Amino acid sequence: MKTIDELLHEGVEGKRVFVRADLNVPLDGTTITDDGRIRAVVPTVKALADAGARVVVASHLGRPKGAPDPAFSLAPAAARLGELLGAEVAFATDTVGDSATATVAGLADGQVAVLENLRFNAGETSKDDAERGAFADRLAALADVYVGDGFGAVHRKHASVFDLPARLPHAAGYLIATEVGVLKKLTDDVRRPYVVALGGAKVSDKLGVIDHLLEKADRILIGGGMAYTFLKAQGHEVGISLLQEDQIPAVLDYLERAKARGVEFVLPVDVLVSAEFPDLKTKAPANPTTVAADAIPADEEGLDIGPETRKLYASKLADAGTVFWNGPMGVFEHPDYAEGTRAVAQALVDSPAFTVVGGGDSAASVRILGFDETAFGHISTGGGASLEYLEGKTLPGLAALED
């Protein structure tokens, strides 16, 4: 895999360099609520611009249905990228149409443009190779060189991620190089004990990674909505908590395999419950109660790990050599249910271990809860990509960058 430093050494002055970034940031209307993914691509874009390249940045945002949708415009992300670069960033109002062609043609050496949301074109995500390839051909006409730096999208077989690199000389950007280096430390060069903390809503989202980590980890902590399927599998009442009943056989299998392999599987001992889901917009007080994990009322829902579980999980993280954390412990967006996630984040900050926050909601939570990002070993920009890498899968966007 060619690195961006090798590309820069060869020279990019005057060349149109297409940077596939991940600017898929959360928006409240047109306001960016977490700009972490934009900041992550700045080193690559700045290095190329400083070397005289004409930089064309492209990304997806959200899940528009293959057609323009103002709610998913990349215009706010383009404006924020310009602020972070300290330079004007041009914005094309389409992906491969007249605006894109004119915007790229108007770039001078060292200038940067952002194309509109790639998913406004159905060819980006098409499962039909020909349709995807046709879109990649039109993107290729806008550039001389391709740099892959959108780690959050490398697990997708999409036109700009998989097909486009085959049509242009290509290299990996700084972010992708960093992400892959960190993930190799979680697979090939692990300092033990290796502790994994998994949260989030659904067990089904984590089946593959749990299966793989049973062969690697020394200890696995479970929180978030997925914990209630584990508790139900153990025969406990979970009330109206999030539950994937069809996953109970898989969960029982994991618990048995963990016991056989000597992997410590740790589940909540107490939880915060309420009969109503909290209002995440007004943040009105929710007034939850704390109950033992095996005593959830039939008409209430578990929404965060409880105080004893927070202490337990902190103790299980304290002696770790390596920690991978993916998924919040509760509904962290509401202050009454944020303490479980805060406790795990604080335990990682306090730990001497090599700590990796695995993207997605976990990465957003550490910023929303006010933690210093530099206190963690690494905060990934790609939740799904990180998980699939740890499952041992071949990621299309990485395979496409191999020479």
Side-chain angles (χ1 to χ4, degrees):
M1 187 182 291
K2 180 185 283 187
T3 67
I4 189 171
D5 285 332
E6 291 174 300
L7 181 66
L8 292 168
H9 181 72
E10 293 171 0
V12 294
E13 186 174 0
K15 292 183 178 179
R16 300 169 302 164
V17 181
F18 187 105
V19 177
R20 198 343 176 150
D22 179 9
L23 308 181
N24 185 28
V25 291
L27 294 171
D28 182 1
T30 59
T31 301
I32 297 168
T33 57
D34 179 7
D35 68 355
R37 284 176 168 161
I38 303 175
R39 286 186 285 113
V41 80
V42 166
T44 290
V45 174
K46 188 174 187 312
L48 290 165
D50 287 349
R54 303 176 183 195
V55 187
V56 182
V57 180
S59 175
H60 69 287
L61 190 150
R63 297 178 182 271
K65 304 192 182 298
D69 183 338
F72 297 105
S73 175
L74 276 173
R80 181 58 180 149
L81 178 61
E83 291 171 359
L84 293 167
L85 290 170
E88 185 177 348
V89 168
F91 182 65
T93 56
D94 56 26
T95 56
V96 289
D98 292 342
S99 179
T101 301
T103 300
V104 173
L107 289 175
D109 294 359
Q111 291 187 329
V112 179
V114 173
L115 304 181
E116 185 54 285
N117 192 336
L118 291 165
R119 290 185 182 174
F120 284 1
N121 190 304
E124 169 68 359
T125 59
S126 176
K127 293 192 180 345
D128 181 81
D129 291 349
E131 184 180 9
R132 221 175 45 245
F135 183 50
D137 287 339
R138 296 183 70 188
L139 291 172
L142 298 173
D144 305 302
V145 180
Y146 176 94
V147 172
D149 213 31
F151 181 74
V154 293
H155 59 313
R156 305 295 188 193
K157 193 177 181 181
H158 290 169
S160 66
V161 176
F162 178 74
D163 301 273
L164 184 54
R167 289 157 167 78
L168 295 169
H170 49 264
Y174 290 126
L175 174 61
I176 277 187
T178 298
E179 294 273 13
V180 171
V182 166
L183 290 170
K184 283 183 176 175
K185 287 187 179 181
L186 297 179
T187 53
D188 304 333
D189 185 25
V190 179
R191 278 169 33 201
R192 296 191 179 277
Y194 180 14
V195 184
V196 176
L198 296 176
K202 297 179 179 179
V203 175
S204 56
D205 292 342
K206 305 288 196 300
L207 288 177
V209 77
I210 294 173
D211 189 68
H212 193 72
L213 288 171
L214 282 172
E215 308 295 320
K216 303 273 186 183
D218 299 301
R219 195 177 296 150
I220 298 176
L221 318 180
I222 300 292
M226 63 186 287
Y228 303 101
T229 301
F230 280 87
L231 292 170
K232 183 72 171 179
Q234 293 185 324
H236 302 313
E237 170 66 58
V238 297
I240 57 173
S241 305
L242 191 61
L243 174 65
Q244 287 187 286
E245 204 135 13
D246 61 322
Q247 300 300 332
I248 287 177
V251 163
L252 287 170
D253 177 61
Y254 290 149
L255 292 172
E256 289 172 13
R257 283 171 55 198
K259 186 175 181 181
R261 292 189 60 82
V263 177
E264 189 179 0
F265 229 103
V266 190
L267 298 176
V269 295
D270 62 345
V271 296
L272 300 187
V273 299
S274 174
E276 295 183 358
F277 195 84
D279 188 327
L280 301 183
K281 211 159 188 66
T282 66
K283 306 289 199 301
N287 301 316
T289 54
T290 302
V291 300
D294 61 357
I296 298 173
D299 60 349
E300 298 200 44
E301 177 178 12
L303 295 164
D304 193 14
I305 57 173
E308 292 306 313
T309 305
R310 290 175 223 151
K311 291 180 198 171
L312 173 65
Y313 285 13
S315 72
K316 297 295 183 180
L317 291 162
D319 67 343
T322 303
V323 178
F324 174 68
W325 171 35
N326 181 278
M329 296 291 109
V331 187
F332 73 92
E333 300 92 339
H334 192 285
D336 287 352
Y337 300 105
E339 292 310 306
T341 301
R342 188 189 305 279
V344 169
Q346 188 62 55
L348 266 65
V349 169
D350 295 340
S351 171
F354 176 62
T355 57
V356 178
V357 180
D361 285 341
S362 1
S365 71
V366 301
R367 290 188 276 264
I368 289 169
L369 295 175
F371 286 91
D372 179 356
E373 293 179 50
T374 64
F376 302 89
H378 179 69
I379 298 179
S380 179
T381 57
S386 296
L387 291 175
E388 290 198 18
Y389 187 99
L390 292 178
E391 287 175 37
K393 291 183 177 179
T394 297
L395 305 188
L398 297 184
L401 293 175
E402 297 289 349
D403 294 325

